[in-house]
Amino acid sequence: MSITRAVLHRLMVEPGNPANLAQRDPSWKGGKEFAHLHGKDAKKRAEEDLEQSRAEIAREQELLWASDTRSLLVIFQALDAAGKDGTIKHVMSGVNPQGCEVTSFKQPSAEDLDHDFLWRVARRLPERGRIGIFNRSHYEEVLVVRVHPELLAHQQLPPGPRGARFWKERFESINAFERHLARNGTTIVKFFLHVSKEEQRRRLLDRLEEPGKEWKFAAGDVSERQHWDAYVRAFEDAITATSTRWAPWYVIPADHKPLMRTLVAGVLVETIRSLAPTAPTVSPEQHAANEEARRLLEAEQQ
């Protein structure tokens, strides 16, 4: 489903402007444009919208693969239970697995910690012609690590202060890294799935109460919930500092899952359209060789 420029503008954090997360309603229902996603038959209509978007993403991805000159990197960040896994599953299910790869970044390994903080994500960047999806990313290094600065002790960094300038320099490193990727043909789109504290509480309880979902629950999620305000401040600073013309952030209201998935799909459709991938052209020599191959194949029937 295509979304209007007004909705895109509402979701995107304009480069140079504050993210203003406190002013962005996680429970926004989408207004008149998305009224069909609420009430009777909402689930069916949401799936129809997603199917339309998936089909378009799949068509454009095939051209992206064929052209083999550009790539797309999609980054998802969120607080626990916002719906990253489900959104990736629902939005990207129609894309050819050969042209798409999802990487979920967990706790850094000993090898990761022996390198700079961008090293492990650089190793998983999408090849030309492919879509790469990061479920969490290098932004953990200015989010989780900022909320828990004691983690820096394990990163074997040169000695020095770890104050405001330290984080500012990490933001600068991220922006330079992403600009380098953009200059070399990787288009970057970043999503923050913005869930409310009350909706997170409800979803965590659902994992405990609904049969078959308890495996998703981690007691540590409740411990991290105690740092809610610190995480919101970290996201505010990171998104404000790193929403750029070449790698914009979109803040997606996440309290209503059907709308969240529809908005993500709509942004991806518009982003991949902007790449305008085209099928490779066939040279006169190739065409002549193909016609000779056609003649030989057709002759086999005689």
Side-chain angles (χ1 to χ4, degrees):
M1 175 185 177
S2 296
I3 59 178
T4 64
R5 290 190 176 276
V7 172
L8 284 172
H9 180 74
R10 178 190 181 105
L11 300 176
M12 189 175 77
V13 176
E14 290 289 339
N17 292 339
N20 280 331
L21 296 181
Q23 306 302 317
R24 294 175 181 265
D25 183 7
S27 64
W28 182 60
K29 294 186 176 181
K32 293 181 180 180
E33 184 172 347
F34 299 97
H36 62 292
L37 299 183
H38 306 281
K40 187 178 180 181
D41 295 329
K43 186 175 181 179
K44 177 183 176 182
R45 291 174 178 177
E47 181 56 35
E48 290 172 350
D49 281 357
L50 271 180
E51 182 56 37
Q52 180 182 341
S53 294
R54 284 194 294 254
E56 179 150 6
I57 292 170
R59 285 194 299 271
E60 296 293 331
Q61 189 276 327
E62 185 175 357
L63 290 174
L64 187 69
W65 174 270
S67 65
D68 198 30
T69 56
R70 302 186 64 87
S71 59
L72 175 65
L73 175 61
V74 185
I75 294 172
F76 286 91
Q77 292 286 161
L79 288 158
D80 295 320
K84 297 189 306 301
D85 293 349
T87 299
I88 293 169
K89 174 183 175 181
H90 282 80
V91 173
M92 304 304 296
S93 61
V95 175
N96 186 336
Q98 293 185 90
C100 181
E101 183 176 9
V102 179
T103 303
S104 296
F105 289 97
K106 307 296 184 183
Q107 184 176 341
S109 67
E111 184 182 19
D112 294 332
L113 294 173
D114 269 335
H115 293 83
D116 69 89
F117 77 94
L118 293 170
W119 179 78
R120 67 172 181 158
V121 294
R123 299 175 71 208
R124 303 309 301 266
L125 290 170
E127 301 170 10
R128 299 190 193 281
R130 296 173 65 91
I131 298 174
I133 300 172
F134 284 179
N135 184 345
R136 302 189 188 275
S137 66
H138 44 295
Y139 283 94
E140 295 295 286
E141 297 296 327
V142 291
L143 296 169
V144 175
V145 177
R146 191 168 188 185
V147 173
H148 297 285
E150 65 274 13
L151 295 174
L152 289 171
H154 303 289
Q155 296 193 0
Q156 301 166 200
L157 298 171
R162 309 290 188 238
R165 182 173 179 177
F166 175 85
W167 300 109
K168 181 176 181 291
E169 289 175 349
R170 283 208 164 182
F171 295 147
E172 290 173 352
S173 294
I174 288 172
N175 285 339
F177 173 67
E178 293 178 349
R179 189 165 193 175
H180 167 74
L181 297 179
R183 284 170 169 162
N184 286 274
T186 298
T187 295
I188 304 166
V189 59
K190 301 177 292 198
F191 293 108
F192 171 55
L193 305 186
H194 189 23
V195 70
S196 68
K197 191 173 185 179
E198 175 55 28
E199 179 63 15
Q200 186 199 59
R201 185 186 73 86
R202 188 188 68 77
R203 291 180 187 177
L204 291 174
L205 284 172
D206 281 349
R207 292 177 180 181
L208 290 172
E209 295 170 359
E210 188 171 333
K213 278 192 174 182
E214 188 173 351
W215 67 271
K216 293 183 176 182
F217 184 82
D221 292 346
V222 177
S223 299
E224 286 300 280
R225 184 174 162 83
Q226 307 310 309
H227 302 284
W228 180 275
D229 291 342
Y231 272 110
V232 171
R233 288 193 297 271
F235 271 109
E236 176 75 27
D237 288 351
I239 293 171
T240 296
T242 62
S243 191
T244 58
R245 176 177 48 81
W246 56 88
W249 276 103
Y250 292 87
V251 178
I252 308 295
D255 280 9
H256 301 287
K257 288 183 179 180
L259 175 63
M260 172 180 65
R261 293 164 183 167
T262 298
L263 292 174
V264 168
V267 172
L268 283 177
V269 166
E270 294 304 315
T271 301
I272 203 167
R273 276 179 183 167
S274 72
L275 302 181
T278 57
T281 57
V282 177
S283 69
E285 294 77 13
Q286 289 173 314
H287 180 70
N290 291 343
E291 288 302 306
E292 175 61 16
R294 181 204 298 272
R295 185 188 66 77
L296 294 172
L297 289 170
E298 290 175 346
E300 292 179 8
Q301 294 181 328
Q302 299 176 4

